[in-house]
């Protein structure tokens, strides 16, 4: 997924009240009523994919889960709460971190401890070495320009034996020039293996691909956005990306450090 402006400031605008983040979460929820309330992703997360992420993480009570590119925090909070794990979310958007902190404070976990969210880059989180028992990144780890640095950061932050679960996209044909540059060469198993990870699984599912396309199709089906700048932005993105969507496959990658 490529947005018009992938800088921290661009995401700050997306996450403002009635920004594209709200339109996105609303559209995903309309398409998938099974998505738990409050998850409100700014990603192509379905209830099925969320359940698969949860299973792959295999969290146990008391684990520390780090969510890289946590956005407004809903998916990471849901995953952590399912297992009574402690959540640390990292995102470079200050608006996202503010939203996420507020969301966590409104509903502290069952042990009375709130999750923590901090501003940081995916390639330089500022977190201590080996702090995470598990690390999740939903539709975010492909963003840093230096992907190897981001993978190195995941390695540093995960404890030995810890698990990484990420969602993203693989090109159907490596190097396909019709695709946005950031997706053309993506091969997560190769990148992770090169960094020392053991890749446990790289799953695809046609239903995840359908969700990805359906969100854009639903945004376009709204028709004239009128004065709704957020919907107009999402429709622009859909017009740019939908034609190449069939050249990408959603992937759920699980790796062990
Ligand atoms: C597609 S959104 C996914 C958000 C969240 N994981 C979810 O499912 O709702 C990608 C997130 O990654 C963050 N992000 C992108 N590039 C980043 C970077 N270099 N460092 C930190 N965060 C980044 C954005 O601010 C955004 O919140």
């Amino acid at each position: 997924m490529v947005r018009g402006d992938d800088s921290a400031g661009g995401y700050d605008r997306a996450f403002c009240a009635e920004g594209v983040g709200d339109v996105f979460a609303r559209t995903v929820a309309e398409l998938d009523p099974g998505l738990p309330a409050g998850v409100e992703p700014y990603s192509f997360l379905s209830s099925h994919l969320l359940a698969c992420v949860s299973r792959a993480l295999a969290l146990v009570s008391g684990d520390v889960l780090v969510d890289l590119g946590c956005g407004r925090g809903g998916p990471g909070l849901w995953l952590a709460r399912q297992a009574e794990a402690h959540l640390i979310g990292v995102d470079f958007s200050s608006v996202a971190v503010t939203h996420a902190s507020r969301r966590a404070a409104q509903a502290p976990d069952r042990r009375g401890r709130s999750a923590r969210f901090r501003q940081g880059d995916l390639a330089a989180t500022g977190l201590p070495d080996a702090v995470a028992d598990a690390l999740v990144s939903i539709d975010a780890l492909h963003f840093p320009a230096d992907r190897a640095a981001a993978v190195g950061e995941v390695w540093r932050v995960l404890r030995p034996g810890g698990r990484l679960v990420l969602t993203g996209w693989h090109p159907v044909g490596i190097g396909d020039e019709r695709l946005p540059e950031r997706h053309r060469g993506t091969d997560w198993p190769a990148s992770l293996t090169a960094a020392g990870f053991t890749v446990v699984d790289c799953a695809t599912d046609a239903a995840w691909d359908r969700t990805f396309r359906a969100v854009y199709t639903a945004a376009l089906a709204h028709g004239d956005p009128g004065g709704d700048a957020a919907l107009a932005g999402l429709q622009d993105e859909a017009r740019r990306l939908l034609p190449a969507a069939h050249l990408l496959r959603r992937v759920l990658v699980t790796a062990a450090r």
Side-chain angles (χ1 to χ4, degrees):
M1 181 168 58
V2 177
R3 305 202 180 282
D5 179 353
D6 293 330
S7 67
Y11 276 100
D12 282 346
R13 281 187 288 284
F15 290 129
C16 278
E18 285 312 308
V20 69
D22 286 334
V23 177
F24 209 91
R26 214 161 46 232
T27 309
V28 172
E30 279 164 14
L31 286 168
D32 185 357
L35 201 60
V39 171
E40 297 179 358
Y42 188 43
S43 58
F44 296 95
L45 197 58
S46 62
S47 48
H48 179 247
L49 182 53
L50 182 64
C52 292
V53 169
S54 179
R55 240 190 331 271
L57 280 169
L59 293 167
V60 297
S61 177
D63 272 357
V64 172
L65 171 66
V66 167
D67 181 3
L68 290 188
C70 61
R72 296 183 298 183
L77 282 167
W78 187 87
L79 290 163
R81 284 176 179 157
Q82 291 304 106
E84 298 195 346
H86 306 286
L87 179 66
I88 305 173
V90 179
D91 203 288
F92 69 0
S93 159
S94 60
V95 177
V97 168
T98 302
H99 272 286
S101 304
R102 202 178 299 141
R103 190 186 295 267
Q106 279 163 358
D109 64 36
R110 277 177 245 164
R111 294 163 175 232
R113 284 176 288 236
S114 284
R116 286 182 290 140
F117 294 93
R118 58 181 291 156
Q119 207 177 345
D121 196 273
L122 298 185
T125 60
L127 296 175
D129 290 356
V131 70
D133 297 297
L135 194 147
V136 68
S137 188
I138 296 172
D139 295 354
L141 212 56
H142 54 276
F143 282 113
D146 187 346
R147 202 170 289 183
V151 170
E153 183 68 353
V154 173
W155 178 271
R156 188 186 69 73
V157 166
L158 258 182
R159 68 160 169 80
R163 273 192 164 209
L164 162 68
V165 177
L166 72 87
T167 66
W169 287 263
H170 275 176
V172 173
I174 287 266
D176 191 327
E177 295 199 348
R178 292 170 292 176
L179 286 170
E181 208 178 325
R182 96 165 20 105
H183 291 308
R184 268 178 221 164
T186 302
D187 180 342
W188 282 115
S191 303
L192 293 169
T193 305
F197 285 93
T198 302
V199 174
V200 176
D201 192 30
C202 178
T204 60
D205 190 311
W208 305 339
D209 297 331
R210 283 196 293 276
T211 301
F212 166 40
R213 292 178 211 147
V215 171
Y216 285 147
T217 306
L220 292 173
H222 278 287
D224 182 355
D228 187 339
L231 178 58
L234 184 56
Q235 290 181 336
D236 275 353
E237 183 178 313
R239 279 186 209 98
R240 269 184 295 119
L241 298 185
L242 208 44
H246 65 291
L247 305 173
L248 290 168
R249 287 285 168 275
R250 295 283 277 143
V251 288
L252 169 64
V253 183
T254 308
R257 183 206 194 283

